[in-house]
Amino acid sequence: MKLRGQGKSVLMLSTVLLAGPVMAHQSGDFIVRMGGIKVAPDVSSDAFDSALPVVGGLEVDVDDDTQLGLTFAYMVTDSIGVELVGATPFTHDIILDTGGSGVVIGETSHLPPTLLAQFYAPQLGPVRGYLGAGVNYTLFFDDSIDDAVVSPLLGGADVDVKLSNSVGFAWEVGADFLINENWLLNASVWNIDIDTEARLYVDDARVDKIDVEIDPWVYMVGVGYRF
Ligand code: NI
C-alpha cells in the first residue's frame, strides 16, 4: 500500500515535470514574433571596370542597419511551421571601397520578405528550438547617390547606382522561451543569399555593372504572442 502510494506520487510528479510549465506549440497555433532586427551584410563585390574614372578598379560595400522585425508563423503540425518574415524597410549606406572605412557615396533601401518552412525540435522545459529553410525576395528601392560627394569627382556629371532585385535561399535557427500560454521570448538568426547587380550610370548612360553579394546575417531578439 505504502509503495503503491509513493509510486503514484512519483508518477504524478514526473508527469508534471515532463509536461513542463507551458504547453508546446501545437498544430493550428499562430505565433507572431516581433523585435529589433539587424541586417549585417557580409559583402563580396566585383570591381568596377578599371578604365573608369574615379571608381575604376574599386568595389562597393554596404553597411549594417537595424529595424523593427515582424514574423508570422503558423503551425501546420505540432512540429512543422511556415513562417513569413517582414520588417520595416532597411536603409544601408553604399560605400565605395577605397581602403580603410571607404567613402559613403549614397544609400539604398530594401524590403526583404522571406518565406520559410520550419522544423521545431522537441520542447526542453520552457525552450523550443527550431530550424528553417526557404526563399527570400529582396526589393531594392530609393537607390540614391549623394551628388554633393560624387559629382565634383566626375566634373559635375550626374551619377546613379541601381541595384537589381534578388531571389535567393534563406535558412534560420531560432528558439522560443515560453513564459505562459500566450507570451514568449524569441531569438532568431537567418542567413540570406542576396545577390544583386549594381548598375552604374553617368548622365543616365549605363557605363558598368558589377555583381555584389550582400549575403547578410540577420538577427532578431524580441517577444512573441501565440494564439
Ligand atoms: Ni550570395
Side-chain angles (χ1 to χ4, degrees), residues 30-215:
F30 284 94
I31 306 158
V32 179
R33 303 176 178 97
M34 66 186 298
I37 188 166
K38 178 176 184 171
V39 170
D42 182 15
V43 178
S44 115
S45 165
D46 286 350
F48 285 114
D49 187 337
S50 57
L52 289 169
V54 185
V55 298
L58 297 178
E59 301 175 6
V60 296
D61 202 354
V62 178
D63 77 343
D64 297 356
D65 192 35
T66 300
Q67 292 290 332
L68 179 66
L70 193 57
T71 75
F72 299 93
Y74 174 72
M75 299 301 293
V76 179
T77 72
D78 290 354
S79 58
I80 293 173
V82 288
E83 180 188 56
L84 180 64
V85 181
T88 50
F90 294 92
T91 299
H92 302 269
D93 285 341
I94 300 175
I95 298 162
L96 196 59
D97 194 354
T98 54
S101 55
V103 177
V104 177
I105 57 169
E107 62 183 28
T108 183
S109 296
H110 70 92
L111 279 171
T114 306
L115 186 64
L116 303 109
Q118 301 177 304
F119 176 74
Y120 287 75
Q123 184 155 322
L124 290 172
V127 178
R128 190 93 195 260
Y130 54 89
L131 295 171
V135 65
N136 163 265
Y137 179 72
T138 296
L139 174 74
F140 290 98
F141 61 97
D142 274 353
D143 307 331
S144 67
I145 290 300
D146 187 348
D147 287 330
V149 170
V150 177
S151 273
L153 301 175
L154 290 164
D158 177 46
V159 177
D160 290 300
V161 171
K162 300 284 175 216
L163 301 178
S164 65
N165 296 333
S166 163
V167 176
F169 179 74
W171 59 267
E172 74 171 324
V173 178
D176 291 326
F177 183 94
L178 300 169
I179 299 167
N180 59 35
E181 286 305 320
N182 294 120
W183 291 97
L184 54 92
L185 302 175
N186 175 262
S188 324
V189 178
W190 295 264
N191 186 263
I192 304 180
D193 188 31
I194 302 179
D195 299 340
T196 184
E197 188 178 76
R199 297 160 184 161
L200 179 68
Y201 297 81
V202 176
D203 289 332
D204 294 328
R206 191 164 87 188
V207 298
D208 201 5
K209 56 180 185 178
I210 58 172
D211 291 327
V212 181
E213 295 200 28
I214 297 176
D215 299 352

